[in-house]
Amino acid sequence: MTNPWTDIKNTDLVIVMGGNAAEAHPCGFKWVTEAKAQRGARLIVVDPRYTRTASVADYYAPIRPGSDIAFLMGAIRWCMENDKVQWDYVRNYTNASFLVREDFGWSDGLFTGYDEEKRDYDKESWDYQIGEDGYALTDPTLQDPRCVWQMLRQHVDVYTPEFVENITGTPRDKFLDICAMIGECSAPDRTMTSMYALGWTQHSKGAQNIRGMAMLQLILGNIGVRGGGMNALRGHSNIQGLTDIGLMSNLIPGYLNIPTERERDWETYLSTRSFTPLRPGQTSYWQNYPNFMVSFLKAMWGDAATEQNDWAFDYLPKLDVPAYDVLRMFELMNNDRVNIYFCQGFNPMLSFPDRGKVTRGLSRLKLLVVMDPLSTETSHFWQNHGAHNDVPTAEIQTEVLELPTTCFAEDEGALVNSGRWLQWHWPGATPPGQAKHDTWIMAQIWTRVRDLYRSEGGAFPDPIVNLSWDYADPGNPMPEELAREMNGRALSDVTDPATGAVIVQAGRQVSGFGQLRADGTTMAGCWIYAGSWTEDGNMMARRDNSDPDATGMYLNWAFAWPANRRVLYNRASADLQGRPWDATRPLVQWNGERWTGYDIPDIAPTANPSEVGPFIMNQEGVSRLFTRGMMRDGPFPTHMEPFESPMANVFNPRMRGNPVARMFASDAARLGSSEEFPLVATSYRLTEHFHYWTKHNPVNAALQPEFFVEISEELAAERGIAKGGRVRVWGARGQVWAKAVVTKRIRPLTCDGKTVHVVGIPLHWGFMGAAKKGWGPNSLTPFVGDANVETPEFKAFLVNIEPAAEEPVA
Ligand SMILES: Nc1nc2c(c(=O)[nH]1)N[C@H]1C(S)=C(S)[C@@H](COP(=O)(O)OP(=O)(O)OC[C@H]3O[C@@H](n4cnc5c(=O)[nH]c(N)nc54)[C@H](O)[C@@H]3O)O[C@H]1N2
Ligand SMILES: Nc1nc2c(c(=O)[nH]1)N[C@H]1C(S)=C(S)[C@@H](COP(=O)(O)OP(=O)(O)OC[C@H]3O[C@@H](n4cnc5c(=O)[nH]c(N)nc54)[C@H](O)[C@@H]3O)O[C@H]1N2
Ligand SMILES: [Mo]
């Protein structure tokens, strides 16, 4: 989230599109209720289903799964056509005026540079025109046909209300009503907040869904302000923490990057990370990249990381593919390229797409180690339950080890919530039986592996034997020790470059990332967490819930990264003179000499408001309506059909899905067509369960005991399906049996003159635990992922349905 949960109370309009917050985020949803009660805010829900969030909304509109980009580009077009633009914001705080290269273009659903063989773009032309002084050229009048504003106007021109209705199935009048409500928020004193989650991310163009709304929010001037923002409602209680500390195959903690094979040495690695400003006088804060990276390498390898060995840069693995995401790992397992799989806090047998492929992958392993408090379907994958593309048990040689862990409620540490708050928590219970903390298990394995490398050597033991492991008990690091390491400390005295005065003494914790250095005098495991555990103690454990000015910022509650800042880009809440756009909702302001306010200003304290742009992380100093080469699938979002869809790609009927999405050749052949599978399916969660582990609890299992699918009354009538009757749902990759919930909450849509039926499939069942056996959607979902972040396309695929007897027993 750009803004904290508590800030949602400050908004005038909530749009929940691509999520179902009342059900999946019931605790945070109270801030929507607060905004409605206190400010008279309105709530819009756009969802294929009439959800529990919709039931308390002021306005609901249906949408065909996988068509949100058409809706969002249509809304942008409508705002542009109807002058619902916060002009001062757009002119000064976005790249609307930047000129785009002459050789950039778009036709037949593709941007320039597409290479069909590689299924990738050469993105060179996706850039600005750069002047001789090295700065991007601009046209502040926004008239030049190559300026971003005019290019955007041209790009969205086709998304008329008629076009939007045809693609999305959202009735035109509803679409226009929503545009009018959104358009009102272009006034400087009105804000809209976007709350989204997996309804937007779980698509082959998920990242572009989110881009689309971010662009709309920029046009309305809603980023950096109270009651605005792009608010990603994260999933697991600490999934924000997972990405923050780099548990992605291509990341290092703090959103630094694992080097690629093309960046074999330190100099080459840094050369593409110089982040020279693209406009005069801009901050381009990533110029501090070396400070964060060297401090990270010092945290990893301590004294073994020296200037002479480029801070042990060679110890880092180099990526030969864009990412070793879960889809790729299961593809590799299927190709016999993986021997051992450590599966920690993850149940892919139920949670990943194409159960047949997942099972076949697990069946080819030599060893599967499952670290979990519970016995999961994944650790029992070898039980052949039949009819699900399982592999016969006798053919499986995989050895399975279960290592019982504690669960979050028995652990101490910080959970990072969606609003980037690191909230320390304490164990609520003593672990049962032989359960051990994950950190204990990992440390025990690690110390043994290190001892083996010490005694036996190996091709390159250095990164392992030299790893810094400075804990009181090497076999059991304490949460406090790990947290202090992530915050970082001075290794020698750190001085102020201007005055030479010592600002942090050797051995002391740093108080913020501004104190980190690239000369080896500091270490920090995760630079964005600097400030979370300082010499003043554990900032994450703070529990002062006072909010003296009723701004919703709660600055003394826990710690928010970065720098305890609650609203990202908050400098943009004030105009070019540094005065709040809305005097009733101030956040930061310029007092003539420096920045002050109710939040930690997201700008240097003395940065001149009219000269230094608010988007300090961007080389431009402004935000991006056009993303240059950042996104793999284009600088503007463009409507593309899901890989399985009842409609062909309207801009290029020959092209299937997103032309650069994550897809392996063998899976292309396993996609279904709408002739065979005419129904659009989507999948989601229910409030009564948390994924696959609450079914172990008899009370939850009793609340939602049995796998069901939801269909409209019209589809039920068409197929002769009775309310509560049994059905078989099948697609190109598998089949499931379920109970049918026939409901008015799902209605047929009309897209391009044709009726489109939607089948809703909740995801919570398996064969372990107290609930009745059931399979959820992932026997059916395709093995396809988003182009930028590889999230599977769980939210739009094709199926068929018929009345059926009970599932046959294998
Ligand atoms: N009780 C409970 N809470 C949970 C969880 C849980 O299992 N149980 N899981 C947690 C986790 S890990 C996560 S990631 C979050 C997920 O949070 P959400 O994303 O809010 O939850 P979902 O139910 O997956 O999907 C949300 C909605 O997206 C809609 N949808 C499907 N396709 C589309 C589409 O193409 N466009 C639009 N506009 N909407 C679409 C679905 O109909 C559904 O209502 O929830 C978290 N909270
Ligand atoms: N079709 C479809 N599929 C989906 C989705 C969808 O919307 N549609 N949603 C996807 C999403 S967003 C998510 S997040 C996944 C969820 O999928 P998973 O993450 O695979 O599922 P969970 O049941 O949340 O649990 C993971 C395991 O963590 C264990 N666990 C809990 N605490 C601890 C701990 O402290 N240590 C260890 N080692 N283990 C622990 C639990 O017992 C559980 O078995 O499902 C995904 N799959
Ligand atoms: Mo999730």
Side-chain angles (χ1 to χ4, degrees):
M1 293 169 78
T2 55
N3 295 37
W5 278 106
T6 48
D7 170 67
I8 289 170
K9 73 166 185 178
N10 291 321
T11 200
D12 302 302
L13 180 65
V14 181
I15 180 157
V16 175
M17 185 170 177
N20 179 14
E23 190 141 9
H25 299 89
C27 183
F29 191 72
K30 70 169 169 264
W31 298 103
V32 175
T33 314
E34 197 90 354
K36 282 166 70 94
Q38 304 292 329
R39 294 188 63 86
R42 279 178 298 179
L43 168 63
I44 300 174
V45 172
V46 183
D47 193 296
R49 307 178 301 130
Y50 186 82
T51 61
R52 284 172 175 166
T53 311
S55 73
V56 291
D58 299 279
Y59 203 93
Y60 165 76
I63 188 166
R64 176 168 66 95
S67 67
D68 297 66
I69 290 176
F71 190 109
L72 293 166
M73 293 303 105
I76 288 179
R77 180 183 183 278
W78 187 91
C79 287
M80 287 173 114
E81 291 284 305
N82 293 282
D83 196 22
K84 297 296 181 190
V85 174
Q86 192 183 329
W87 283 108
D88 286 338
Y89 193 104
V90 166
R91 277 182 215 286
N92 298 308
Y93 297 167
T94 76
N95 64 358
S97 64
F98 285 50
L99 303 188
V100 174
R101 274 169 58 147
E102 293 289 349
D103 54 349
F104 167 78
W106 187 81
S107 63
D108 294 337
L110 292 165
F111 295 96
T112 37
Y114 188 61
D115 182 330
E116 197 162 348
E117 206 151 294
K118 289 193 193 147
R119 298 193 76 247
D120 205 355
Y121 282 107
D122 172 350
K123 300 189 272 295
E124 203 196 319
S125 67
W126 307 2
D127 206 347
Y128 306 130
Q129 299 179 25
I130 305 289
E132 276 168 13
D133 54 6
Y135 292 128
L137 302 181
T138 63
D139 171 24
T141 69
L142 306 187
Q143 296 307 311
D144 191 301
R146 298 302 298 180
C147 81
V148 167
W149 189 252
Q150 295 301 335
M151 302 283 294
L152 176 60
R153 185 185 287 279
Q154 215 184 3
H155 182 78
V156 298
D157 195 47
V158 21
Y159 298 88
T160 59
E162 298 69 34
F163 180 92
V164 172
E165 179 176 43
N166 269 337
I167 298 284
T168 63
T170 309
R172 190 179 325 186
D173 57 330
K174 288 193 186 282
F175 169 72
L176 289 171
D177 283 349
I178 292 174
C179 286
M181 285 187 265
I182 291 175
E184 284 175 20
C185 297
S186 62
D189 61 355
R190 286 191 79 79
T191 58
M192 168 172 94
T193 186
S194 157
M195 294 171 66
Y196 69 91
L198 282 301
W200 268 355
T201 57
Q202 291 173 338
H203 293 281
S204 47
K205 67 284 176 161
Q208 294 284 7
N209 281 331
I210 293 144
R211 275 279 314 149
M213 180 54 97
M215 290 162 66
L216 180 58
Q217 284 289 61
L218 288 171
I219 289 169
L220 302 169
N222 278 341
I223 297 287
V225 303
R226 271 165 65 181
M230 282 303 292
N231 296 313
L233 314 183
R234 309 291 317 252
H236 285 101
S237 53
N238 198 23
I239 200 72
Q240 178 68 47
L242 178 145
T243 40
D244 293 348
I245 64 161
L247 285 184
M248 313 279 285
S249 64
N250 55 347
L251 291 182
I252 288 172
Y255 304 95
L256 308 178
N257 307 110
I258 289 275
T260 67
E261 272 199 333
R262 275 164 286 130
E263 301 165 324
R264 285 173 184 239
D265 59 81
W266 180 231
E267 218 172 287
T268 314
Y269 177 77
L270 282 189
S271 67
T272 52
R273 292 174 174 81
S274 57
F275 302 104
T276 337
L278 278 170
R279 293 292 300 160
Q282 296 312 312
T283 310
S284 189
Y285 198 78
W286 277 116
Q287 289 183 98
N288 292 296
Y289 196 100
N291 298 345
F292 311 144
M293 187 69 187
V294 173
S295 297
F296 165 75
L297 292 168
K298 289 297 286 182
M300 285 291 283
W301 287 292
D303 291 342
T306 63
E307 190 166 12
Q308 290 69 40
N309 74 357
D310 293 329
W311 314 109
F313 177 79
D314 291 348
Y315 291 5
L316 286 175
K318 312 291 179 289
L319 269 178
D320 58 346
V321 292
Y324 282 97
D325 55 281
V326 183
L327 291 178
R328 186 182 296 280
M329 291 314 299
F330 274 93
E331 169 73 8
L332 290 172
M333 274 181 219
N334 273 270
N335 297 332
D336 291 326
R337 300 272 310 280
V338 183
N339 291 325
I340 304 179
Y341 173 32
F342 266 83
C343 179
Q344 182 183 9
F346 185 33
N347 192 357
M349 168 90 180
L350 292 187
S351 63
F352 252 63
D354 195 349
R355 177 159 303 124
K357 183 164 179 170
V358 169
T359 311
R360 284 191 294 280
L362 296 171
S363 304
R364 306 190 83 90
L365 293 167
K366 292 202 168 61
L367 176 64
L368 169 65
V369 183
V370 178
M371 291 169 61
D372 204 290
L374 300 166
S375 227
T376 67
E377 280 77 3
T378 299
S379 64
H380 290 72
F381 78 93
W382 43 270
Q383 293 179 352
N384 183 355
H385 286 265
H388 305 286
N389 296 321
D390 286 6
V391 180
T393 305
E395 287 174 22
I396 299 173
Q397 299 297 314
T398 313
E399 181 172 357
V400 182
L401 295 181
E402 286 183 302
L403 301 180
T405 67
T406 56
C407 83
F408 56 88
E410 294 148 355
D411 293 335
E412 180 175 352
L415 297 170
V416 190
N417 78 1
S418 307
R420 294 167 286 101
W421 292 10
L422 286 74
Q423 302 187 96
W424 199 261
H425 68 105
W426 295 267
T430 315
Q434 293 181 304
K436 297 285 188 192
H437 294 298
D438 289 83
T439 40
W440 183 91
I441 296 175
M442 289 187 285
Q444 294 292 324
I445 295 173
W446 147 250
T447 46
R448 285 169 174 77
V449 169
R450 182 194 50 191
D451 292 348
L452 280 175
Y453 274 95
R454 274 184 181 158
S455 59
E456 297 179 14
F460 187 39
D462 311 41
I464 296 173
V465 296
N466 288 331
L467 192 78
S468 153
W469 198 261
D470 197 10
Y471 309 111
D473 174 358
N476 193 21
M478 287 289 113
E480 169 172 349
E481 291 176 297
L482 296 165
R484 291 174 65 99
E485 179 179 354
M486 280 195 245
N487 178 86
R489 65 172 182 271
L491 299 169
S492 342
D493 286 354
V494 177
T495 52
D496 181 323
T499 64
V502 173
I503 51 172
V504 196
Q505 281 173 352
R508 296 271 170 95
Q509 294 290 101
V510 298
S511 59
F513 47 73
Q515 295 172 339
L516 298 178
R517 297 287 184 267
D519 60 5
T521 57
T522 58
M523 65 86 106
C526 183
W527 72 275
I528 55 176
Y529 288 179
S532 63
W533 196 308
T534 65
E535 286 298 319
D536 293 329
N538 183 354
M539 298 294 126
M540 302 170 277
R542 297 183 308 160
R543 288 293 181 275
D544 177 353
N545 69 352
S546 58
D547 184 25
D549 305 291
T551 58
M553 295 301 119
Y554 298 97
L555 290 181
N556 297 314
W557 179 278
F559 172 83
W561 73 261
N564 202 31
R565 183 170 297 125
R566 307 291 156 141
V567 176
L568 294 178
Y569 319 116
N570 60 31
R571 153 69 188 93
S573 67
D575 64 16
L576 259 196
Q577 285 71 46
R579 293 173 308 224
W581 297 113
D582 178 357
T584 70
R585 271 181 293 200
L587 203 45
V588 300
Q589 56 210 345
W590 177 250
N591 71 6
E593 282 166 12
R594 53 192 302 120
W595 288 94
T596 61
Y598 303 96
D599 191 9
I600 313 297
D602 197 353
I603 191 94
T606 57
N608 185 321
S610 55
E611 287 167 11
V612 182
F615 289 84
I616 60 168
M617 301 310 280
N618 288 349
Q619 287 166 278
E620 297 91 326
V622 293
S623 58
R624 298 172 181 143
L625 295 170
F626 172 94
T627 56
R628 305 175 68 211
M630 304 285 291
M631 306 278 288
R632 282 192 69 214
D633 42 5
F636 292 131
T638 194
H639 171 68
M640 295 171 277
E641 289 295 329
F643 274 82
E644 289 191 339
S645 171
M647 293 170 80
N649 262 326
V650 57
F651 299 121
N652 185 342
R654 269 190 331 107
M655 180 173 97
R656 187 157 197 172
N658 178 345
V660 298
R662 154 70 90 235
M663 184 153 85
F664 299 99
S666 62
D667 297 301
R670 307 179 65 239
L671 292 171
S673 71
S674 60
E675 286 77 50
E676 229 182 318
F677 309 107
L679 313 175
V680 174
T682 192
S683 58
Y684 44 89
R685 60 252 308 129
L686 306 168
T687 228
E688 294 81 0
H689 274 302
F690 203 97
H691 303 151
Y692 316 109
W693 49 272
T694 51
K695 61 182 161 50
H696 290 259
N697 178 356
V699 178
N700 294 81
L703 283 169
Q704 290 286 3
E706 186 177 354
F707 176 39
F708 61 88
V709 299
E710 297 187 84
I711 56 171
S712 68
E713 292 174 340
E714 292 81 354
L715 179 61
E718 213 175 86
R719 298 294 170 96
I721 295 168
K723 246 186 174 143
R726 303 291 304 173
V727 288
R728 182 174 79 103
V729 182
W730 76 103
R733 290 157 300 276
Q735 56 185 339
V736 292
W737 281 261
K739 188 169 237 177
V741 169
V742 178
T743 174
K744 291 189 196 319
R745 288 177 285 106
I746 294 183
R747 291 268 169 85
L749 299 163
T750 308
C751 298
D752 210 14
K754 287 183 297 203
T755 302
V756 174
H757 289 291
V758 175
V759 178
I761 313 184
L763 53 75
H764 302 288
W765 293 270
F767 57 83
M768 306 289 291
K772 211 175 152 194
K773 183 166 128 184
W775 292 97
N778 287 331
S779 302
L780 309 168
T781 45
F783 205 80
V784 170
D786 175 68
N788 291 284
V789 293
E790 299 92 26
T791 303
E793 189 149 71
F794 287 129
K795 290 282 191 267
F797 51 98
L798 293 177
V799 297
N800 213 333
I801 194 168
E802 65 180 12
E806 288 299 319
E807 171 177 356
V809 179

